Amino acid sequence: MDEYRDIYLRAHTAKHSDKVHEKRNRGDPPVPKWPEHALIFDTETRTDVHQELMFGFYRICRLVGDTYLCESEGIVYSEAITKEELNQIGTFVLNSLADVEVKQFPPETRLQVHRSFPDFMTKVFWPAVRKGWAIVGFNLAFDLSRLSRRWRRSLKGGFRFILSLQFDYKTRTWNSHPYRPEIKLDAKDAHTTFITRGTPRFRKDEWRNPGRFLDVGTLLFSLFDKHVSLDQWCAEFQKKGYTIDRKLAHEPSGRVSQEELRYCRQDVKITHQLLNAAKREFDVHPLPNLLPDEAYSPASSAKSYMREMNITPPLEKFKVSDEILGIAMQAYFGGRAEVHIRRTRVPVIRLDFVSQYCTVNTLLRNWEVLTAASVEFPDATKDVRQLLDMVARRPDLCFDRQLWPQLRFFALIRPENDTLPVRAAYNDKEADRLNIGLNYLTSEEPIWFAGPDVISSILLTGGKIPRILKAIRVAPVGRQAGLNPVRLLGKVWVDPNQDDFYKHVVEQKEAHKEDVNLKKGLKCIGNAGAYGPLVELNELRESTEVKLNVYSGEHFHQQTIREREVPGPFYFPPVASLITAGGRLLLALAEKSVTDAGGVYLFCDTDSLCTVANENGGYSRGGARADLGYAEGADPRQFAPVPCLSRDRVIEISMRFESLNPYSFGGTILKIEDVNYIDGDPSKGFRDLYGYAISAKRYCLFEGKQARKIVDAKAHGIGYLMNPIRRKADDHGDQFAAAFWRVVLQNEGIALTTDEPDWLDRPAMMRIPVSSPAVVGRLKDFCKPYDFVLAPVIREADLQLDEEEKPILVTRFNKNSEEWSAATYYNVRSGEPYSITTGESGSDNVIPVRSYRSVVNAYVNNAESKFNGPDGSQCHPWTRGILQRMHVLAMGHRYCGKEFKRKLEQGPVDHEVECQCKVYGNGRVAADAETLRQLTRYSERQIRAETELGRDTVRLIRHGEQVKPSTMQRITNFLSRKQKPDDQGRAATRGRKPNAIQKSRT
């Protein structure tokens, strides 16, 4: 079945400017990598929804050798605490000695006490910031928010915290202190925040040192590529041999007590210990120019290594036009993730490519491009056509490493049922939700694709060669001078003049696999540097609207915009697009190998392919008619047996990729993952592994037909939910995803256990990080920035209210799911308290909400909309069996930017977590369905004669393409003249929907 859809193509954008602005050297003073002093602090708040500040502890530490040692310790408390709570603090101070490590005379034995937070800010915090000390915390943004008195929106869309006020005697009001800077916070994502210091209005010369704000959690993420809690990090470092304490076993009560005081003080202590541990791990990297407070992710280290190798950023040394960058961005698509067999239990073996993006870079020899003196993009149309003809006749050439460097090209294609990545809104009910599907594409307007994607199309479309209009090759010239060798993690020598960085990292990771820490470090650096920095784009909010140039393939337009994308330092789409396309080519080779052997696959996920296989091959029963999803009249093709390969045949397919191994250690690059073996140990033999999938990244692997053990659960789409299961000590696994899938499999009739978890009928709760002004605005300033609140998922259909009347409920953050049902919730629209129920509501003050059972039951309704079902119609929630590729006929081309998470911006009202793109408009309009229907009444000649439009223009309009509003106005006028007048001489248009030009005016 053909699907007419608009397709979305990525665009390269550049701010339109008639002048070239040179970068100015601001003359900032040099700063030490690690400041001489650090101020470490933590605060405790009330546990109600407002989370008002109670008290905090802090440590002033001095850098002695390579370690921060405590120089003084203190406590600060709010003036708003009760007299009884004040007595608790007094008792604690009298009975506690300062944990001072720096020898001094006279020795400091008592805690420093500050009787208000303004006193602490004046005497401790601001002097530390002014001197350039490190301001340290774990989840530092939250604690800075507790210290703030007011906030306002920053130009980048984040916050500007006002931490000090001054009384204006003329206006009798408190205003922002003119001698104190504001602190700027811009959320990168739900976990990471960029924190910088602003400039005060007066006495700017007193603030010459930059602000050094260091979130220990962010620093650890940049080193180890994972986010875990403070206590979990302590456990991790204890295993590494560090002397680190653990958090106290105490649940914050929201009251000042001896237990609460000890708990907070202990948190400051272990944050101090983690700082020293993180410093030791960070200093292993010989990166003198990377400051710890500017290490936000593993990519920060990877980019710093590139700088240490003296690799000039591509757009600084290569003279590449915006048009070429637009071609490369049009050819850019993310990793391939899809489900091929839906809601059908099958035996599986999962295969995984070794360091996929590093491998692709090595095969394509992309390091030659990045280290070149210059890059050219010569015409290669003739050569590419000959190459494609050769591959069509001899597809096995794709297993020859010598072929791959020839795939560094981009081709302009007029697709005609070619298998290519297609970005579109496949679900008509969610027009802003885009997905990428590898489908049959037809488009009258040509599109640029990367070379590996063109080869993939030949492999997956039976040798059919796409129609190539022209092609360009990425041709590096020479070698950049002055490249420097470095030692990765201080141990592994890399010389960019001789070594392929990506190849060398993978080889050294294998050579040092016995050294677990070094192996993980090399893997982190390799993966982070292999792809992300080359397509890094950051959102920038301009103070006023600016003119933007939009380039995508052959398309160009200008528009005004407020929020635009700014390239990162190593942004270079010609290589980035080739990398992801190369990953898809590897998957296409694996898919073709499986299908040529008579097999099928359950799903693929970026760098892995899960094949249907068992010990001896044959057929799997498929979806039996006894399954819960079967209904009378269902298409029998949905329940057809599924072909299985034997394990030996899968091993043969795996070994076929040995010829593509570019590394010195040999072996295949398509590995049989450890998840296929008993206890994850290849020496124990294969386990009885089965798989069940719903849609992309929603799948589960388990042991035995009845799922006696969940092995790997990917529950994409429930990340917005709180984990209702109380985490066990030192349990770092995702127990909720496994438990969630256990219930899904029970509902699907696979897992035979009948025990229901106690959390199933509890209210489904969202953890809302208030990390952007947009979320604060939606919460009507009910919360402060960087608060954490809980919000239930409301059953809006049961309320029958207008959008502006629907309640937005929040309550205090509480990990104990047993208390959620009885908690008091506040409607942020009115401030009134409410109760909730997962059943039927019998009162206006009781709001119906969804339970976890409701979420679980609806989980299987996430259809793989980008594909068709076994019957050829679009996949829907009830579809089962082997899916088919869709035939997409491109109606129009729309141009878009990077994807971003809707959750971060929209918060509790919209709890979906899918990605959405910034769509660039070009001021053009397309004929709507009613206009197209009316045009069918008239011949092309008649339309041309009365509108004076050209043949090509008329055809574009009749095919739903976009044209100028003035052009569409001619069509509208033509149709209006042709309408029969009513009995009063007026055009008979009453009741008709507005056409495209009328819509453009509203």
Side-chain angles (χ1 to χ4, degrees):
M1 179 182 295
D2 293 339
E3 290 283 341
Y4 290 85
R5 297 191 179 276
D6 284 344
I7 64 173
Y8 291 75
L9 303 168
R10 288 290 298 270
H12 164 74
T13 61
K15 183 178 178 181
H16 179 79
S17 177
D18 297 327
K19 297 180 180 180
V20 177
H21 299 279
E22 296 183 358
K23 293 184 178 179
R24 295 179 296 173
N25 185 356
R26 297 168 51 187
D28 291 335
V31 296
K33 185 171 184 177
W34 291 96
E36 184 180 352
H37 284 84
L39 170 63
I40 307 170
F41 75 101
D42 185 38
T43 60
E44 292 297 325
T45 66
R46 303 292 185 190
T47 55
D48 60 11
V49 70
H50 300 291
Q51 297 176 303
E52 295 296 335
L53 194 56
M54 294 191 304
F55 65 89
F57 280 87
Y58 70 90
R59 287 186 173 203
I60 294 176
C61 300
R62 183 198 301 174
L63 185 61
V64 179
D66 294 329
T67 305
Y68 281 104
L69 300 180
C70 181
E71 195 172 58
S72 66
E73 187 181 13
I75 182 174
V76 53
Y77 55 86
S78 170
E79 297 170 293
I81 63 175
T82 66
K83 184 176 180 180
E84 180 182 349
E85 291 176 322
L86 183 60
N87 290 335
Q88 289 285 340
I89 292 177
T91 301
F92 186 88
V93 171
L94 287 173
N95 295 329
S96 302
L97 296 177
D99 188 12
V100 175
E101 299 168 306
V102 176
K103 294 181 180 180
Q104 51 190 307
F105 186 83
E108 186 170 322
T109 60
R110 289 295 176 186
L111 296 174
Q112 299 291 319
V113 179
H114 299 273
R115 292 176 173 80
S116 70
F117 277 93
D119 181 65
F120 166 75
M121 299 297 292
T122 301
K123 295 180 179 179
V124 179
F125 184 86
W126 286 126
V129 175
R130 185 184 293 113
K131 295 173 183 176
W133 292 6
I135 310 301
V136 181
F138 193 93
N139 191 13
L140 182 60
F142 174 84
D143 292 300
L144 289 174
S145 175
R146 301 310 95 185
L147 299 180
S148 69
R149 308 295 295 276
R150 295 175 185 170
W151 68 272
R152 60 191 182 94
R153 186 186 181 107
S154 71
L155 287 177
K156 293 182 179 180
F159 297 101
R160 295 179 69 100
F161 284 171
I162 300 170
L163 273 62
S164 292
L165 301 176
Q166 186 183 64
F167 188 72
D168 188 330
Y169 287 93
K170 291 184 179 179
T171 61
R172 312 297 294 178
T173 57
W174 289 93
N175 299 323
S176 175
H177 201 299
Y179 307 150
R180 303 283 187 266
E182 296 176 351
I183 307 299
K184 296 182 287 187
L185 295 91
D186 297 288
K188 175 178 178 286
D189 51 43
H191 298 283
T192 304
T193 301
F194 302 119
I195 307 176
T196 55
R197 175 183 61 74
T199 304
R201 291 168 55 198
F202 303 111
R203 298 183 181 178
K204 299 178 183 179
D205 57 330
E206 297 180 3
W207 302 87
R208 296 188 62 83
N209 293 307
R212 305 289 301 275
F213 297 92
L214 175 58
D215 189 321
V216 177
T218 299
L219 178 59
L220 291 170
F221 169 68
S222 75
L223 293 170
F224 301 104
D225 196 19
K226 62 180 179 180
H227 291 287
V228 297
S229 68
L230 178 62
D231 192 53
Q232 287 172 325
W233 276 124
C234 293
E236 289 275 336
F237 279 98
Q238 282 184 349
K239 294 176 182 177
K240 291 176 178 286
Y242 287 84
T243 303
I244 292 183
D245 296 327
R246 299 288 297 273
K247 284 176 70 76
L248 298 181
H250 170 73
E251 192 69 29
S253 63
R255 299 184 301 275
V256 181
S257 64
Q258 297 300 302
E259 293 79 10
E260 201 94 349
L261 292 163
R262 285 193 293 269
Y263 176 80
C264 182
R265 188 187 186 194
Q266 178 75 356
D267 278 3
V268 175
K269 180 181 179 181
I270 59 179
T271 301
H272 176 195
Q273 293 172 335
L274 271 180
L275 171 64
N276 282 324
K279 180 181 182 300
R280 181 174 167 184
E281 296 284 339
F282 185 79
D283 287 344
V284 165
H285 297 272
L287 302 172
N289 296 314
L290 178 61
L291 301 179
D293 44 307
E294 294 180 354
Y296 298 108
S297 70
S300 300
S301 298
K303 289 184 287 187
S304 292
Y305 275 115
M306 301 277 275
R307 293 188 181 97
E308 289 303 312
M309 287 186 280
N310 201 32
I311 294 176
T312 306
L315 294 188
E316 289 184 21
K317 65 176 176 178
F318 300 148
K319 295 181 180 179
V320 182
S321 67
D322 288 323
E323 288 77 11
I324 291 292
L325 297 177
I327 287 173
M329 281 306 296
Q330 185 171 95
Y332 172 76
F333 298 87
R336 177 183 168 189
E338 64 190 43
V339 158
H340 186 56
I341 304 174
R342 188 171 189 274
R343 294 185 68 179
T344 303
R345 176 186 56 204
V346 288
V348 294
I349 294 178
R350 191 165 75 183
L351 305 171
D352 175 74
F353 284 101
V354 174
S355 301
Q356 187 191 63
Y357 287 154
C358 285
T359 299
V360 169
N361 276 320
T362 304
L363 290 171
L364 293 174
R365 297 180 187 169
N366 285 335
W367 188 246
E368 294 178 359
V369 179
L370 297 177
T371 57
S374 63
V375 172
E376 297 176 350
F377 296 88
D379 182 271
T381 307
K382 181 179 179 181
D383 292 342
V384 166
R385 286 172 176 165
Q386 291 177 349
L387 174 66
L388 300 185
D389 181 67
M390 182 174 62
V391 170
R393 287 184 286 105
R394 298 175 57 197
D396 285 353
L397 285 175
C398 294
F399 287 95
D400 185 351
R401 294 199 304 271
Q402 303 304 316
L403 175 77
W404 278 68
Q406 300 178 53
L407 307 186
R408 283 191 322 225
F409 68 85
F410 293 92
L412 182 63
I413 297 175
R414 179 167 287 130
E416 299 172 2
N417 278 332
D418 297 301
T419 307
L420 295 162
V422 182
R423 184 184 294 106
Y426 289 100
N427 189 337
D428 294 333
K429 295 181 180 179
E430 297 179 290
D432 61 344
R433 177 179 171 182
L434 304 182
N435 271 305
I436 299 173
L438 198 63
N439 281 314
Y440 301 112
L441 175 64
T442 297
S443 174
E444 292 190 9
E445 186 175 348
I447 307 169
W448 285 90
F449 285 94
D453 278 329
V454 181
I455 300 295
S456 297
S457 178
I458 295 174
L459 296 177
L460 299 178
T461 322
K464 179 180 179 296
I465 302 175
R467 183 179 177 186
I468 306 297
L469 303 183
K470 59 181 174 180
I472 57 175
R473 190 175 297 283
V474 183
V477 178
R479 171 83 65 164
Q480 178 192 324
L483 298 177
N484 301 323
V486 297
R487 286 192 182 276
L488 303 179
L489 290 96
K491 297 180 179 180
V492 176
W493 182 264
V494 178
D495 186 350
N497 294 290
Q498 300 176 2
D499 301 321
D500 181 316
F501 175 80
Y502 304 112
K503 178 175 183 286
H504 197 67
V505 167
V506 176
E507 289 176 342
Q508 292 300 309
K509 183 183 70 173
E510 180 68 18
H512 295 88
K513 59 184 177 182
E514 301 302 324
D515 187 338
V516 177
N517 292 333
L518 181 57
K519 178 183 176 181
K520 289 182 178 179
L522 290 171
K523 179 180 179 180
C524 193
I525 294 169
N527 291 344
Y531 158 64
L534 300 172
V535 73
E536 178 186 358
L537 290 165
N538 302 304
E539 287 283 330
L540 174 64
R541 181 180 176 84
E542 299 280 2
S543 56
T544 59
E545 286 195 340
V546 298
K547 184 180 288 186
L548 195 71
N549 295 337
V550 180
Y551 304 86
S552 181
E554 304 294 287
H555 172 83
F556 168 77
H557 78 266
Q558 291 182 329
Q559 67 179 91
T560 57
I561 201 166
R562 188 76 176 270
E563 295 179 351
R564 65 186 183 94
E565 295 174 344
V566 178
F570 287 93
Y571 170 82
F572 196 55
V575 171
S577 297
L578 289 171
I579 294 170
T580 53
R584 289 189 293 275
L585 176 53
L586 288 177
L587 284 175
L589 283 169
E591 177 187 342
K592 180 172 172 55
S593 299
V594 169
T595 54
D596 286 352
V600 292
Y601 62 98
L602 175 62
F603 65 81
C604 63
D605 191 355
T606 307
D607 62 352
S608 63
L609 188 84
C610 196
T611 62
V612 179
N614 56 23
E615 184 176 2
N616 299 313
Y619 283 88
S620 175
R621 184 176 64 162
R625 297 197 172 201
D627 287 348
L628 297 179
Y630 177 75
E632 291 296 333
D635 193 311
R637 287 172 289 186
Q638 297 191 35
F639 302 91
V642 179
C644 295
L645 298 179
S646 68
R647 288 174 183 165
D648 290 341
R649 191 70 182 92
V650 174
I651 293 173
E652 290 176 10
I653 291 172
S654 169
M655 296 308 297
R656 190 179 186 190
F657 284 80
E658 188 173 4
S659 62
L660 281 177
N661 186 344
Y663 305 115
S664 59
F665 52 78
T668 181
I669 61 169
L670 183 58
K671 298 285 188 181
I672 296 177
E673 290 190 52
D674 289 347
V675 72
N676 298 288
Y677 301 105
I678 297 172
D679 299 329
D681 184 354
S683 66
K684 295 184 178 180
F686 284 94
R687 69 185 357 148
D688 192 18
L689 191 65
Y690 283 79
Y692 198 82
I694 295 170
S695 59
K697 296 186 182 295
R698 291 177 168 92
Y699 58 83
C700 180
L701 302 182
F702 47 90
E703 278 188 3
K705 285 187 176 181
Q706 278 72 50
R708 61 178 177 268
K709 179 182 178 181
I710 303 292
V711 175
D712 187 17
K714 291 292 188 293
H716 180 72
I718 66 168
Y720 68 94
L721 292 174
M722 279 286 291
N723 180 358
I725 306 172
R726 185 176 291 274
R727 185 181 294 275
K728 299 177 182 178
D730 297 332
D731 181 4
H732 299 175
D734 193 350
Q735 55 185 152
F736 178 42
F740 186 93
W741 260 104
R742 168 71 61 183
V743 182
V744 171
L745 295 176
Q746 288 177 3
N747 290 348
E748 294 289 274
I750 294 174
L752 299 183
T753 56
T754 57
D755 296 336
E756 290 191 343
D758 54 7
W759 51 265
L760 201 54
D761 289 315
R762 293 172 187 167
M765 202 65 61
M766 299 179 288
R767 176 180 181 266
I768 306 299
V770 188
S771 52
S772 74
V775 177
V776 177
R778 295 176 82 87
L779 293 178
K780 309 296 182 183
D781 295 317
F782 202 82
C783 305
K784 293 182 67 175
Y786 292 96
D787 277 355
F788 288 100
V789 295
L790 296 183
V793 183
I794 296 174
R795 301 205 311 264
E796 296 181 351
D798 291 0
L799 296 178
Q800 298 180 347
L801 297 173
D802 294 334
E803 187 65 34
E804 63 274 8
E805 296 177 340
K806 292 178 181 178
I808 301 176
L809 300 184
V810 295
T811 189
R812 68 183 182 90
F813 184 77
N814 182 2
K815 295 180 181 179
N816 188 355
S817 62
E818 297 177 10
E819 300 178 1
W820 294 345
S821 296
T824 300
Y825 295 80
Y826 295 90
N827 183 0
V828 300
R829 296 188 188 275
S830 64
E832 296 178 355
Y834 285 86
S835 298
I836 62 171
T837 180
T838 57
E840 297 298 322
S841 172
S843 169
D844 292 340
N845 292 324
V846 180
I847 304 298
V849 301
R850 295 183 67 185
S851 65
Y852 282 93
R853 184 188 298 274
S854 169
V855 175
V856 170
N857 291 347
Y859 193 68
V860 295
N861 294 335
N862 291 283
E864 188 71 305
S865 303
K866 58 193 176 189
F867 293 136
N868 290 334
D871 59 353
S873 61
Q874 187 176 14
C875 179
H876 53 72
W878 301 276
T879 300
R880 292 174 181 261
I882 302 176
L883 306 183
Q884 306 176 38
R885 289 196 167 96
M886 183 182 290
H887 292 256
V888 177
L889 279 68
M891 292 176 53
H893 292 184
R894 304 187 67 181
Y895 306 100
C896 62
K898 68 179 291 187
E899 297 175 335
F900 60 91
K901 294 288 186 182
R902 295 190 296 182
K903 176 70 185 308
L904 183 64
E905 285 301 319
Q906 297 189 1
V909 177
D910 298 292
H911 54 267
E912 293 295 331
V913 292
E914 300 297 339
C915 290
Q916 173 180 356
C917 292
K918 178 191 294 296
V919 177
Y920 297 110
N922 57 7
R924 295 180 171 236
V925 296
D928 59 18
E930 177 63 19
T931 302
L932 292 174
R933 187 187 66 80
Q934 294 182 35
L935 285 174
T936 59
R937 302 174 180 174
Y938 310 102
S939 68
E940 180 180 294
R941 179 178 297 178
Q942 186 177 6
I943 297 172
R944 289 173 55 195
E946 299 202 30
T947 62
E948 298 182 351
L949 295 175
R951 181 187 62 182
D952 291 344
T953 302
V954 172
R955 289 181 177 179
L956 283 174
I957 294 171
R958 297 182 79 164
H959 284 89
E961 299 288 350
Q962 293 182 337
V963 295
K964 294 179 181 178
S966 58
T967 302
M968 186 60 69
Q969 183 66 58
R970 296 191 188 187
I971 296 293
T972 303
N973 294 341
F974 162 72
L975 293 175
S976 297
R977 291 194 300 270
K978 292 297 181 181
Q979 299 296 321
K980 293 181 180 180
D982 62 14
D983 56 2
Q984 297 186 27
R986 293 186 295 246
T989 58
R990 187 181 300 113
R992 296 188 183 275
K993 296 181 179 179
N995 58 35
I997 193 67
Q998 293 168 335
K999 289 182 179 179
S1000 71
R1001 291 173 173 173
T1002 60

